Amino acid sequence: HEARTSSIMAPKRRWPTSKLHGTSLVSVTQLDVETLEQLFWLADQMKAMVKRDGMCDMLKGKVLGNIFYEPSTRTMCSFATAMLRLGGQVVPVNESSSSAQKGETLSDTIRCLECYADVLVLRHPALGSAKEAAAAASKPVINAGDGTGEHPTQALLDMYTIKSELGSLDSGLTLTAIGDLKNGRTVHSLVQLAALHGMRVNLVAPDSLRMPQHVLDAAASRATGWDAYAQSSELSAEILGATDVLYVTRVQKERFASEAEYEAVKDAFIVNAETLRAAKQSTIVMHPLPRVNEIATDVDSDPRAAYFRQMENGMFVRMALLALVLDADAADKLPIEAGAKRSRGRA
């Protein structure tokens, strides 16, 4: 019998109890570098465990309430799968089948569903809805997107993907975000975490879709006066040539007041194989998905296209997040891949 060498039971790694334990995650402003380091380390272990065993029973007996008032494929399915792979169960709820159709308030819906679940995940079209839900709940609420506000768990998986693809979250990295930076909640959260790590950020968008100033102010307040960003209405060869992470976003038709306004900017930026000739071979291309036409399919076969790997990473990061929120000792419980040592540096 050949001994299994893919994993070992490591000595107890006495991580401090996560700041995420038992708390709601509404905004990335709640996160610090140490929390990210622990979360990403655990996501690595979740990834190894899934590939090795498929699932574990860490959250056996726990129930996730998956509450989606807006359409979703990746976020909804990855949260549900994350819970199932950790041995828990999922109660799915959508607006069309809930008492919201009868006029029930969001707060009352949350108070109802927390009676049946240990943690609630909420996607809602209204800005500030996650904060309202967290205030009404006595159980943890995780923001899965609140209108044009934030999408914290997308930013977490984005940062994890950058770390996995490029090897670190170094302050020398340059992130270029293009597209709908006004309405894109994913990039609102991502820019704040990029600033926390001291990255330089290029913000490329039509004038009507520029990043809101309050997002940049929030980033600067968290990152000790960070101002390493530049705004442009053109994705120039110079910008692209200096970019380590090209983060492409969809122009969000559902956020526009009229069809005419959307039509005026919908094709502002289209990245294709020709576009990427100006990018470094080490550059990675990311997208929170879904895409419409902003990344041509001829990019999919380019090794620099990381968006499908990024999508898969969402499950591992959400597994780690659910574990830390629901289990104070989660980081000390999994079998660890041989050689997977806790980093003492920045996440």
Side-chain angles (χ1 to χ4, degrees), residues 2 22 35 65 81 97-98 113 150 161-162 267-268 276 297 329 336:
E2 184 177 343
T35 299
T81 307
S97 61
S98 78
L113 293 172
E150 282 202 48
T161 298
I162 294 169
D267 296 326
L276 292 182
T297 55
D329 300 316
I336 300 166

Side-chain angles (χ1 to χ4, degrees), residues 37-47 320 323-324 330-331 334:
E37 180 189 35
Q38 183 184 37
L39 179 72
F40 295 161
W41 181 88
L42 186 56
D44 281 340
Q45 309 317 313
M46 294 295 185
K47 183 175 183 178
L324 291 174
L334 282 176

Side-chain angles (χ1 to χ4, degrees), residues 86-311:
L86 290 170
Q89 295 179 300
V90 180
V91 175
V93 180
N94 61 66
E95 184 183 26
S96 64
S97 61
S98 78
S99 289
Q101 292 293 314
K102 303 174 182 178
E104 183 174 63
T105 65
L106 175 61
S107 293
D108 280 359
T109 296
I110 293 299
R111 291 186 182 101
C112 167
L113 293 172
E114 72 172 355
C115 295
Y116 315 131
D118 300 285
V119 60
L120 303 175
V121 170
L122 177 67
R123 162 74 61 85
H124 197 282
L127 177 65
S129 53
K131 184 176 181 180
E132 176 188 343
S138 59
K139 305 277 182 68
V141 174
I142 298 173
N143 182 3
D146 63 329
T148 59
E150 282 202 48
H151 196 341
T153 65
Q154 179 69 47
L156 288 173
L157 75 90
D158 291 342
M159 293 297 282
Y160 177 75
T161 298
I162 294 169
K163 183 175 185 293
S164 299
E165 296 282 329
L166 300 181
S168 73
L169 294 173
D170 192 271
S171 60
L173 294 176
T174 296
L175 181 149
T176 297
I178 70 172
D180 188 349
L181 308 186
K182 175 184 177 182
N183 299 305
R185 58 194 172 203
T186 63
V187 76
H188 293 173
S189 293
L190 176 60
V191 163
Q192 296 185 61
L193 293 188
L196 190 63
H197 286 82
M199 295 181 189
R200 178 165 184 78
V201 177
N202 294 313
L203 302 167
V204 182
D207 289 343
S208 62
L209 297 179
R210 285 196 166 197
M211 177 75 69
Q213 187 59 46
H214 71 84
V215 176
L216 297 173
D217 292 343
S221 69
R222 291 290 321 289
T224 320
W226 171 86
D227 62 358
Y229 67 89
Q231 302 210 53
S232 174
S233 57
E234 178 187 357
L235 182 61
S236 67
E238 180 182 5
I239 290 174
L240 195 51
T243 294
D244 298 296
V245 179
L246 180 62
Y247 194 89
V248 186
T249 66
R250 173 178 66 92
V251 176
Q252 300 188 23
K253 183 177 182 179
E254 66 273 23
R255 310 292 181 196
F256 285 78
S258 72
E259 183 80 15
E261 290 179 40
Y262 169 71
E263 290 290 333
V265 294
K266 70 172 184 176
D267 296 326
F269 299 104
I270 297 176
V271 175
N272 54 32
E274 180 65 23
T275 308
L276 292 182
R277 291 182 63 180
K280 298 182 289 188
Q281 287 304 306
S282 59
T283 297
I284 59 171
V285 182
M286 298 175 61
H287 192 305
L289 302 176
R291 67 174 164 184
V292 181
N293 66 340
E294 58 277 359
I295 298 181
T297 55
D298 65 5
V299 175
D300 294 354
S301 59
D302 190 317
R304 294 173 291 182
Y307 33 88
F308 294 124
R309 299 189 293 274
Q310 173 189 359
M311 176 177 62

Side-chain angles (χ1 to χ4, degrees), residues 18-25 31 35 38-40 42-43 46 59 79 82 86 119 121 140-143 152-154 156 314-327 330:
S18 174
K19 295 176 183 177
L20 297 169
H21 177 60
T23 66
S24 293
L25 177 58
L31 303 170
T35 299
Q38 183 184 37
L39 179 72
F40 295 161
L42 186 56
M46 294 295 185
L59 296 183
F79 262 117
L86 290 170
V119 60
V121 170
V141 174
I142 298 173
N143 182 3
T153 65
Q154 179 69 47
L156 288 173
M315 181 179 70
F316 306 129
V317 169
R318 288 171 175 132
M319 288 174 72
L321 176 62
L322 289 171
L324 291 174
V325 167
L326 291 173
D327 188 334

